[in-house]
Amino acid sequence: MAAKEIELEVERALECIECEKNFILTGGAGSGKTYSLISLIEEIGNKYPLSSIVCITYTNNAVAEIRDRITNSNLRVSTIHEFVWSIISKFQREIKETLIELVNEEEKGKFKQPKELDDGQKIGVDYFNDSNIVYGGYYDLKKHEVSSINHDQVLILAEKMFEKYSKLCDILKDIAKFIFVDEYQDTSPLIKEILLKHLKQSSKKNTVGFFGDSMQAIYDGSVGAITDGSLVRIDKKQNRRNPQTVIDLANLLREDEIEQVPSDDLNAPNMDNGIILQGSIKFVYADSIDGVNSLRNLPYFKDWNFYDSKQTKELWLVQKANAKRAGFPKLFELYNSDKIIELIDRTQKKVIHKGIETSNRTFESVTEEADVRVGKRGNLLENIRANSTYSSAFERIKVNDWDKVRNYRVNKESLLSYKFNGLMGKYESRPQRDKILCHLDSIYELMELYENGVYNDFLRKTEKNIITLKDKVNLKEGMDQLANRDLTIGQCIDRAEIILNIQNDPFETFIKDRGVYLWQRIKELPFSEYVRSIEYQKEYLPFATQHSIKGSEFDNVLVVLDNGNWHNYNFETLFKEVEVKDTVITRTKKLFYVCCTRAKKNLCVFMPTSDTTVIENAKELFGEDNVFHCG
């Protein structure tokens, strides 16, 4: 068997390792950066079989992908947060000392004082006593009890500890001869500080390598580009994914010295018998956003299969647009812009600001007084009373005790938190998912098992005994009833309790407490909207947000340039000078770059505009023959 040919970029990384120099490998979209990372790990395994390797990345899905593609007993693959916590968690005394500093600083930032302390009080080590600090989903400091810090705080705490305690740097280098950071642009600047600054405190040797692309830094708070004179720069310029037309467009968008060229691998996906695919790019504009609805009727789209979500993707900036097109607009509105939840939040702020007495008073009376005391702003209460949907909901809870109503919550993060867990290989409810949706998830998963014929798992989970033919017939009739898309969510849950023997105590507790209002609203919505929200999250539908598809690729990509109400982006800046912050311009261009480079064959960009400057500059980018009006 012929030896595997090593990429030039991997050879250069190996040279850095031999010279004990840190490096950064940057490649454009579709260049195969993860392939280079895995190849390097394999070569290290051959050359340095006893050396420990740590690979840290941004998500669990990325962790699973790397683990699946390589086997090395000395390799540890982890998310960034899990890895740093695994290092510092053993040093509870140091954690407490550092945490006390962060809490007692005048600029507390993300580390607030414990709730039971008066403002200005300081805490000492005796506050925690012998109890531990744990890494959980929330931040809660408790006297002489187990306290927890959250996702964002772990990195802040770790960076400060590595700065203070050089022994941590020694320990990290002992357990990781090689540290590789995948998708470096998405990591926190604090990781850069730990790996490139604080580790210098240790005289022990190790090598740090970064893999990624600063042009694909689209998440707020990430480090983006890493500029450090001590790093050897390795550029990977070949493109294995995109056709020539998309490569040419992407090169016009890049702001660094990387100019991509087609791969020299004749078997690369963007090659056909050794010739680069040309593909196509189009820029279509219309007088309004409604013009996007007529796009699919254009001849250009005749070969696009919009029913195959793996082949074609339609990318919008905001989730609201996708929810409408995917078929769950009412459910999305309930979780993201419910007016009664807004009224509760506004009233609570007025109560605190004006010191309004609320004991033994109704929601309605407190709200009315708050409006009078502060002055009516926007007449939200009047709007609710005038809206048929909200007025009936308000009538049902207006006489409820305010001290209970103020705790009613609808978590915006809940609806779209049914995610794929790469480590487990399945979709599941995330911690922020509320108990109503979790209960629906359990029902949906059982329905899916039945519909897919996975009867053993279905029977085991429902504890149903199917002995006779009549049992089987009755079950089928029940499942057919449950699959009726005309059911409301409330009707579906009621029937599932009977048909599937489902009992859920956390659900029952939630809808009688903090979830009272949410339950009153959601139970009247169509069950079909819940199903469509799951199909959307499972990527069965052709719609996606522009942020969610980084790392993915599709034959056909339609990018819709509509800002919505999001002021962090302005798509006009792609084609003309606009008076906005430089950060908005940079953020917009990088997001556009990511979207365009998802296309393996055909790319279409749609923009609602009649601005002649935008149109003329679009012709410069896409070519005059590729720009046209529709709708």
Side-chain angles (χ1 to χ4, degrees):
M1 181 181 294
K4 179 181 175 182
E5 186 174 348
I6 302 175
E7 292 180 318
L8 176 62
E9 296 84 5
V10 174
E11 288 183 350
R12 292 194 60 197
L14 287 169
E15 291 172 3
C16 291
I17 287 170
E18 290 170 5
C19 299
E20 297 182 338
K21 292 182 178 179
N22 297 334
F23 65 89
I24 180 167
L25 188 152
T26 296
S31 61
K33 296 179 290 296
T34 301
Y35 177 81
S36 296
L37 169 60
I38 290 171
S39 297
L40 178 60
I41 293 172
E42 289 175 341
E43 290 301 316
I44 289 173
N46 294 330
K47 289 178 176 289
Y48 310 96
L50 300 180
S51 294
S52 55
I53 310 168
V54 168
C55 180
I56 54 177
T57 190
Y58 191 63
T59 65
N60 279 325
N61 291 346
V63 169
E65 179 187 359
I66 295 172
R67 283 182 182 171
D68 288 345
R69 291 169 64 177
I70 191 168
T71 301
N72 185 322
S73 59
N74 292 319
L75 170 66
R76 176 179 177 182
V77 188
S78 175
T79 64
I80 294 162
H81 293 74
E82 289 171 348
F83 178 68
V84 298
W85 179 249
S86 72
I87 301 296
I88 67 174
S89 61
K90 303 176 183 67
F91 302 96
Q92 286 290 320
R93 180 177 63 81
E94 290 81 358
I95 285 178
K96 292 168 188 174
E97 290 175 354
T98 308
L99 189 56
I100 288 165
E101 286 184 35
L102 290 167
V103 172
N104 288 339
E105 284 176 357
E106 289 187 13
E107 297 294 331
K108 297 182 182 64
K110 293 182 180 293
F111 293 85
K112 297 179 180 179
Q113 285 179 312
K115 295 176 183 178
E116 69 266 20
L117 294 188
D118 294 330
D119 195 36
Q121 274 190 278
K122 297 190 180 290
I123 60 174
V125 177
D126 60 325
Y127 180 84
F128 297 110
N129 204 2
D130 294 327
S131 59
N132 281 343
I133 310 296
V134 300
Y135 168 35
Y138 54 91
Y139 174 57
D140 189 16
L141 299 187
K142 297 178 179 179
K143 189 171 184 178
H144 298 168
E145 294 182 39
V146 173
S147 299
S148 61
I149 57 175
N150 65 32
H151 190 72
D152 294 332
Q153 294 163 331
V154 166
L155 298 187
I156 299 173
L157 177 66
E159 190 271 334
K160 195 167 184 69
M161 287 179 66
F162 272 95
E163 181 183 29
K164 286 182 60 178
Y165 306 109
S166 60
K167 68 178 180 181
L168 283 176
C169 301
D170 289 334
I171 290 168
L172 178 52
K173 286 188 173 183
D174 281 339
I175 67 173
K177 176 64 176 175
F178 306 103
I179 301 176
F180 300 134
V181 181
D182 187 33
E183 301 291 352
Y184 70 75
Q185 72 278 356
D186 296 332
T187 63
S188 165
L190 299 170
I191 293 298
K192 173 191 170 185
E193 291 294 297
I194 292 172
L195 298 181
L196 295 183
K197 182 179 177 182
H198 302 328
L199 284 191
K200 290 180 180 179
Q201 298 177 79
S202 172
S203 60
K204 297 184 178 183
K205 303 294 185 181
N206 83 334
T207 302
V208 178
F210 297 90
F211 295 73
D213 180 12
S214 61
M215 257 320 269
Q216 297 185 63
I218 60 174
Y219 302 128
D220 290 340
S222 62
V223 70
I226 294 180
T227 54
D228 188 296
S230 67
L231 292 174
V232 175
R233 183 180 175 92
I234 303 172
D235 290 340
K236 191 172 189 185
K237 297 184 178 182
Q238 294 190 29
N239 185 309
R240 299 174 52 83
R241 175 196 300 152
N242 303 129
Q244 186 66 62
T245 49
V246 174
I247 291 175
D248 292 341
L249 174 63
N251 282 336
L252 292 173
L253 296 172
R254 290 197 70 93
E255 297 180 330
D256 57 13
E257 56 268 39
I258 290 181
E259 182 171 336
Q260 285 194 291
V261 295
S263 172
D264 58 12
D265 179 0
L266 301 184
N267 296 314
N270 56 358
M271 291 288 180
D272 183 15
N273 293 322
I275 300 174
I276 180 71
L277 296 173
Q278 286 302 299
S280 69
I281 57 173
K282 302 291 181 186
F283 181 91
V284 184
Y285 62 97
D287 297 332
S288 72
I289 191 63
D290 293 335
V292 74
N293 296 321
S294 61
L295 278 182
R296 298 187 186 190
N297 298 323
L298 296 176
Y300 176 69
F301 293 101
K302 64 182 177 65
D303 295 326
W304 287 37
N305 185 356
F306 282 92
Y307 298 99
D308 184 350
S309 63
K310 300 300 181 185
Q311 183 188 99
T312 301
K313 271 293 188 242
E314 183 175 321
L315 308 180
W316 292 71
L317 178 60
V318 295
Q319 296 281 15
K320 183 178 181 179
N322 283 327
K324 180 179 180 181
R325 297 177 78 78
F328 58 102
K330 294 178 181 177
L331 194 59
F332 186 86
E333 180 185 354
L334 172 58
Y335 275 90
N336 287 272
S337 56
D338 185 82
K339 293 187 183 301
I340 290 181
I341 291 298
E342 182 183 350
L343 179 64
I344 293 170
D345 290 341
R346 282 194 191 182
T347 302
Q348 175 66 358
K349 290 176 182 176
K350 294 173 183 178
V351 165
I352 295 172
H353 180 64
K354 291 296 183 179
I356 298 172
E357 176 58 45
T358 61
S359 298
N360 300 317
R361 295 185 61 188
T362 66
F363 173 32
E364 183 178 42
S365 68
V366 171
T367 301
E368 288 177 340
E369 182 181 342
D371 274 349
V372 171
R373 295 276 295 276
V374 177
K376 298 180 180 179
R377 298 176 183 174
N379 298 317
L380 181 57
L381 182 55
E382 284 78 358
N383 290 338
I384 287 172
R385 285 170 167 158
N387 183 301
S388 58
T389 298
Y390 289 113
S391 61
S392 58
F394 181 73
E395 286 297 314
R396 289 196 293 267
I397 65 170
K398 70 179 184 180
V399 296
N400 290 8
D401 187 88
W402 165 253
D403 287 334
K404 290 184 178 180
V405 171
R406 70 180 182 181
N407 292 317
Y408 292 172
R409 289 290 178 268
V410 175
N411 181 2
K412 289 185 178 182
E413 304 298 320
S414 180
L415 179 61
L416 298 179
S417 58
Y418 189 75
K419 300 290 185 181
F420 185 73
N421 184 334
L423 298 178
M424 300 298 293
K426 66 177 183 177
Y427 284 87
E428 61 184 14
S429 307
R430 292 292 173 89
Q432 59 265 48
R433 194 93 160 151
D434 66 56
K435 302 305 180 185
I436 298 173
L437 291 175
C438 285
H439 190 41
L440 285 167
D441 296 341
S442 299
I443 295 169
Y444 174 85
E445 288 162 6
L446 289 172
M447 292 172 63
E448 201 170 40
L449 287 175
Y450 184 84
E451 289 171 5
N452 293 333
V454 189
Y455 299 124
N456 287 337
D457 286 350
F458 173 84
L459 295 173
R460 176 175 54 80
K461 291 186 176 184
T462 57
E463 298 182 352
K464 295 186 74 70
N465 293 316
I466 305 299
I467 300 173
T468 67
L469 178 61
K470 185 176 181 181
D471 292 336
K472 188 175 181 180
V473 170
N474 288 340
L475 177 60
K476 184 181 185 308
E477 289 177 351
M479 294 306 295
D480 288 344
Q481 292 176 27
L482 203 55
N484 183 354
R485 293 295 180 91
D486 292 330
L487 294 177
T488 65
I489 286 174
Q491 290 170 334
C492 175
I493 287 177
D494 288 342
R495 294 190 184 188
E497 185 175 340
I498 299 170
I499 297 166
L500 301 175
N501 298 331
I502 287 184
Q503 300 291 328
N504 190 317
D505 292 338
F507 161 73
E508 295 292 344
T509 301
F510 179 72
I511 65 174
K512 293 174 183 176
D513 186 22
R514 295 167 65 88
V516 168
Y517 172 71
L518 177 59
W519 174 239
Q520 288 183 356
R521 287 291 314 284
I522 199 173
K523 70 180 181 181
E524 296 177 349
L525 296 182
F527 179 61
S528 59
E529 286 216 5
Y530 161 79
V531 173
R532 295 290 279 182
S533 76
I534 293 295
E535 292 173 344
Y536 171 67
Q537 291 173 89
K538 284 193 166 188
E539 300 182 8
Y540 294 166
L541 306 177
F543 316 106
T545 62
Q546 293 166 5
H547 287 81
S548 67
I549 45 72
K550 191 165 79 68
S552 301
E553 54 187 38
F554 312 94
D555 286 350
N556 311 306
V557 174
L558 169 61
V559 184
V560 181
L561 302 186
D562 176 40
N563 293 327
N565 294 319
W566 203 341
H567 301 297
N568 290 332
Y569 299 88
N570 187 317
F571 291 121
E572 282 194 334
T573 62
L574 297 168
F575 308 99
K576 61 184 284 190
E577 291 187 7
V578 181
E579 291 188 11
V580 294
K581 295 178 180 178
D582 289 343
T583 53
V584 171
I585 296 172
T586 301
R587 189 183 290 124
T588 302
K589 180 177 279 191
K590 289 183 176 182
L591 184 63
F592 186 58
Y593 174 86
V594 167
C595 291
C596 292
T597 53
R598 300 309 98 196
K600 296 194 293 180
K601 293 181 180 179
N602 305 302
L603 168 70
C604 179
V605 175
F606 172 84
M607 186 174 184
T609 185
S610 57
D611 189 311
T612 55
T613 302
V614 169
I615 296 166
E616 289 304 310
N617 285 328
K619 291 177 181 178
E620 290 291 322
L621 273 178
F622 288 79
E624 188 163 353
D625 294 339
N626 294 321
V627 177
F628 56 91
H629 180 270
C630 83

